[in-house]
Amino acid sequence: MSAQLEVPRLEDLNDLGIAIEPSSQPWVVSVIAWANDGSTVKLTWDEIAGSASVRWLNGDDVRLALERETAVKISVRDECGVIEFRVWSHWEGLAGQLIVTVGEHVTVHDTLLHT
């Protein structure tokens, strides 16, 4: 079992213009943001498993699907009108950061490096 995943408080996300989808399991949550180009990004996390997944959709087409089983922290914020999802991960000498921005378009930066 992984260490506790640090996640945003749901009440802090209410004013960001995103959808919050709790599941039947209170430790699993999805948040959805929409780009102006019609794309949708869904970030789902599981606090107990220490995992996160990102799905970038353009209509019914999956543009990108990423999984992180070693997530240690997740943030969701509004940066000047652009929604930013960040997932930090760390495991046995590797550390990474996944940054997905959702604004006019969707951008993804994924870094995984030896520590």
Side-chain angles (χ1 to χ4, degrees):
M1 182 184 263
S2 62
Q4 182 73 24
L5 174 61
E6 182 181 337
V7 298
R9 295 179 338 144
L10 297 183
E11 55 269 17
D12 292 340
L13 305 179
N14 287 331
D15 296 329
L16 294 183
I18 61 175
I20 302 168
E21 294 183 345
S23 75
S24 60
Q25 302 165 327
W27 56 88
V28 176
V29 175
S30 295
V31 291
I32 302 169
W34 299 270
N36 292 339
D37 67 3
S39 296
T40 303
V41 177
K42 181 176 188 176
L43 168 63
T44 302
W45 64 76
D46 181 327
E47 288 182 63
I48 291 177
S51 65
S53 70
V54 173
R55 298 284 180 271
W56 172 13
L57 302 170
N58 190 351
D60 292 332
D61 296 330
V62 177
R63 302 275 319 249
L64 182 67
L66 291 171
E67 305 290 337
R68 288 293 181 273
E69 292 297 325
T70 59
V72 293
K73 181 179 178 182
I74 292 175
S75 73
V76 178
R77 60 184 171 203
D78 183 333
E79 290 291 324
C80 301
V82 174
I83 298 299
E84 180 182 86
F85 298 143
R86 285 186 185 246
V87 178
W88 288 267
S89 58
H90 190 273
W91 182 256
E92 295 185 3
L94 293 174
Q97 189 174 149
L98 170 64
I99 305 168
V100 180
T101 58
V102 185
E104 188 64 33
H105 305 283
V106 175
T107 62
V108 178
H109 298 278
D110 189 13
T111 306
L112 185 62
L113 301 170
H114 288 281
T115 56

